[in-house]
Amino acid sequence: MRRFAAGVLAFRDPVGLLERTGREGDLVELTRGKRPVFVVTSPDLAREVLETKADVFLKAAGSERLERVMGDGLQLSEDPHHAAQRGLMDRAFDHDHVVPYAEAVWWSAERILAGWRPGRVIEVVGEMRAITTGAVLRALFADANGAEVDRLTGDVTTVASGLWKALAPGAAGVKRALLPGFGRFGRALDSIDEYVAGAIRRRRSGEVGGHDLLGAMLAARPATGSGATAGPEGVPPGSGGMSDREARDEVISLLLAGRGTITAGLGWMWRELGRNPEVERRLHAEVDGVLEGGRSPAVADIGRLPFTRAAWDEALRVLPPSWVLRRKAARASELGGRAVPEGSTVLVNVIGIHRDAARYPEPGVFDPGRFLEGGRDPVPFDYLPFGAGPRGCIGFHFATMEAVLLIAGIAARWRLEPVDPDAELEFARSITLRSKRPIRMRLSAR
């Protein structure tokens, strides 16, 4: 009965289910049986799942069809391939190496903001998605022109929104043509693959320099002494670098999974800012003092925007896009002194941890002050917007830089007013936390 009830609640209101489950204890057995489902709502237990016992609790991609679309990139792979790829990519995504890609962020933003007009009502998540997709495309492919970025943005949006069709039974082979929209999905994926293959080829041949994310990925080599002895296709023997297929899979992972968190987070950020006028006034005052005359922001400005950064961090706490992290027990283990059988599903309740009143008083209140100096006493694993441990989001530094630049640059020029400020918040049934209804906002020039 409990399993049936949990299943119904998970279908109707998965976010509400995890919030309620989190109040029942640090570790709750949501369903029983040979392969039970456990919910973890404790920083200590989250650390066990995500870090200490990361070799036991695997990410469990779960679908061969999903893997056929996204490949064996960081998003889906497990060790030892995941560790090898992470080792190759970490340096390209560290704080210092993502700084040059700030230009790509604002290049994309300016193209979208050029169409904004006072009084216009926008669906803010869609606008942010266009900016963030364009930014990651330009960061990956510095030689891509505006028309190519627009085409690829459309292709990525089509693949991302229709990805569920690749998981449907019978979606492979001849039945692909019978699924509404699947032909468009397949053509979009083929278009992305064709462009990525050409981009890799141009960088391998030296036709295009390596001053972008793709170039950095292709140039990456393992630490001394750990290189491969046989070079894969397109890589010199002994180099230990990525093969063309591996680079393709990492690009697809970045395009389909990497943009989701920041897009959703920016949507929630503007919603919360518009509903909290005191916070909005303070953010505008900070931005106006840094970006004199509404100039475009630069990386050097980020250190002078502590409240803007804190507002972003708080938006990810109140409404974390990655609201739950799913793991599968590869072998029998234990958590919190309780047995966890092999095959069990473990859900790290990120939204429950973020809304624990013992750690965050008045957890539903949007208060950026929590993330300013002296605002909170950080506890490891009590804040998980980008995951943690060996599978923590590799794009954390890029996403943070991108978010602060976009929030500051947009807020210097525009005020976004909620069209329906008192509308009841309902969440869509989605891997990423997003609103069931469009978040509509009216533009006012500042």
Side-chain angles (χ1 to χ4, degrees), residues 92-123:
F93 283 87
D94 69 19
H95 178 271
D96 293 339
H97 285 83
V98 300
V99 166
Y101 308 130
E103 183 180 343
V105 173
W106 205 246
W107 176 87
S108 180
E110 291 282 21
R111 301 180 77 235
I112 303 302
L113 298 182
W116 286 17
R117 298 290 182 271
R120 178 186 165 193
V121 173
I122 62 170
E123 197 289 295

Side-chain angles (χ1 to χ4, degrees), residues 125-137:
V125 175
E127 295 291 296
M128 294 302 106
R129 183 182 297 114
I131 293 174
T132 58
T133 305
V136 73
L137 284 166

